[in-house]
Amino acid sequence: MEYTVQKLGRLAGISTRTLRYYDEIGILKPARASSSGYRIYGPAEVDRLQQILFYRELGVGLEKIKEIVSSKDFDGVQALREHRRQLLERREQLDRLIANVDQSIAQAEGRTVMSDQDKFEGFKRKMIEENENKYGKEVREKYGDDVVNRSNEKLMGMTQEQHAEATRLAEELTRKLAEAFETGDPAGEKAREAVELHKRWLLHYWTEYSPEAHAGLGRMYVEDERFKAHYDAQQPGTAEFLRDAILAYTGIQA
């Protein structure tokens, strides 16, 4: 079956403007143009649009989606299996949060007693699973399963006070790193203060510290586009600056 832009938009629940944009950036081209110049989409384009929308639902950016679905090695069936796996993981996360809310309601109504640890367990598990989905493969390859598993166990055992302190340190690090970046000196005093904050923040999640591991993480911030995008969100070049500051702090050569 074939569809015009309007009909495909209605079928998929997206705007015709979105479909035209997908055509412009080359992520979803129509199969052909009608004699009147209208875009016409066939079964292959419908299947590709479904894949695009699955990836969008999972938070993948359009450039990355284009790279994935345009690859000569792209396997649509395998991609669907991976979508299913990730959606099941998301459902499990939501089920845990719902259970946590139910427990909180029961406590508020006097039907049960809930420990402070229980109140935040769902959020911590969600954080672990999100980190595993985004960075788990790379981090486990770099540091090993044992290190990552022990870090996850430490996070699960974190008190709310410790979690609040880690959050505060992350916010302070963002401010201090921006100040240090303005100096342009990754070996300067402000940069050193920023790395000290980074180290203190890491120790809320790491079970032990080593300069080598710290330096390795700094390099990953630049080598991995996801980390780089996070640190460069406000000011491009911040990821490289933080890496250089960490290397200067640890005394490890680039």
Side-chain angles (χ1 to χ4, degrees):
M1 187 169 181
E2 292 186 327
Y3 299 89
T4 62
V5 168
Q6 288 79 8
K7 288 182 178 179
L8 183 58
R10 285 197 296 270
L11 177 71
I14 60 177
S15 69
T16 56
R17 181 179 179 183
T18 296
L19 286 171
R20 291 190 180 98
Y21 179 65
Y22 286 175
D23 184 5
E24 288 173 16
I25 65 175
I27 194 172
L28 180 67
K29 291 284 188 183
R32 62 183 180 85
S34 71
S35 58
S36 302
Y38 292 110
R39 294 173 174 87
I40 302 296
Y41 298 84
E45 290 71 41
V46 171
D47 289 346
R48 182 158 180 163
L49 178 59
Q50 183 194 39
Q51 292 284 4
I52 292 168
L53 296 180
F54 274 135
Y55 281 115
R56 290 292 285 164
E57 182 65 24
L58 293 169
V60 182
L62 285 176
E63 283 301 316
K64 185 63 177 178
I65 297 172
K66 181 179 177 181
E67 177 185 332
I68 293 169
V69 300
S70 300
S71 170
K72 60 181 177 60
D73 299 322
F74 179 70
D75 184 332
V77 174
Q78 183 56 40
L80 287 170
R81 290 195 179 102
E82 179 61 17
H83 293 322
R84 185 178 188 278
R85 184 190 67 78
Q86 293 190 43
L87 289 168
L88 286 172
E89 286 183 355
R90 181 179 293 183
R91 185 173 72 182
E92 289 171 5
Q93 292 172 5
L94 290 172
D95 285 344
R96 276 193 287 272
L97 289 175
I98 291 168
N100 194 272
V101 170
D102 287 342
Q103 282 183 283
S104 299
I105 292 171
Q107 176 179 268
E109 294 176 346
R111 294 184 282 111
T112 189
V113 175
M114 190 178 187
S115 71
D116 289 342
Q117 192 78 5
D118 289 339
K119 292 176 183 177
F120 300 98
E121 182 174 353
F123 295 104
K124 289 186 286 189
R125 285 194 181 279
K126 184 172 184 291
M127 182 187 300
I128 288 172
E129 289 168 359
E130 287 177 346
N131 286 338
E132 285 284 354
N133 288 337
K134 288 182 180 178
Y135 314 116
K137 182 176 182 291
E138 294 83 355
V139 174
R140 286 180 180 277
E141 286 177 353
K142 192 173 188 66
Y143 297 106
D145 289 338
D146 185 57
V147 170
V148 176
N149 291 340
R150 283 190 282 116
S151 176
N152 288 342
E153 289 172 7
K154 185 172 184 179
L155 173 56
M156 285 305 301
M158 192 182 291
T159 66
Q160 180 58 16
E161 290 75 16
Q162 291 169 329
H163 187 269
E165 174 63 9
T167 301
R168 186 194 67 77
L169 285 171
E171 292 171 351
E172 188 177 351
L173 169 61
T174 299
R175 292 192 296 272
K176 183 63 70 175
L177 185 57
E179 293 175 7
F181 183 86
E182 288 298 318
T183 70
D185 183 8
E189 183 59 31
K190 285 188 178 294
R192 183 175 182 81
E193 290 173 2
V195 178
E196 284 281 3
L197 284 169
H198 189 255
K199 178 181 176 180
R200 287 170 58 195
W201 173 75
L202 283 175
L203 288 173
H204 277 76
Y205 304 96
W206 286 8
T207 55
E208 57 187 30
Y209 174 86
S210 75
E212 292 77 17
H214 199 176
L217 185 62
R219 294 190 186 99
M220 188 184 293
Y221 286 163
V222 176
E223 295 164 1
D224 190 299
E225 287 299 322
R226 295 162 298 179
F227 283 112
K228 191 173 187 295
H230 170 74
Y231 281 102
D232 285 357
Q234 298 300 320
Q235 178 62 58
T238 301
E240 286 90 345
F241 183 88
L242 178 56
R243 175 202 59 194
D244 294 344
I246 292 171
L247 294 177
Y249 177 87
T250 58
I252 295 175
Q253 297 297 317

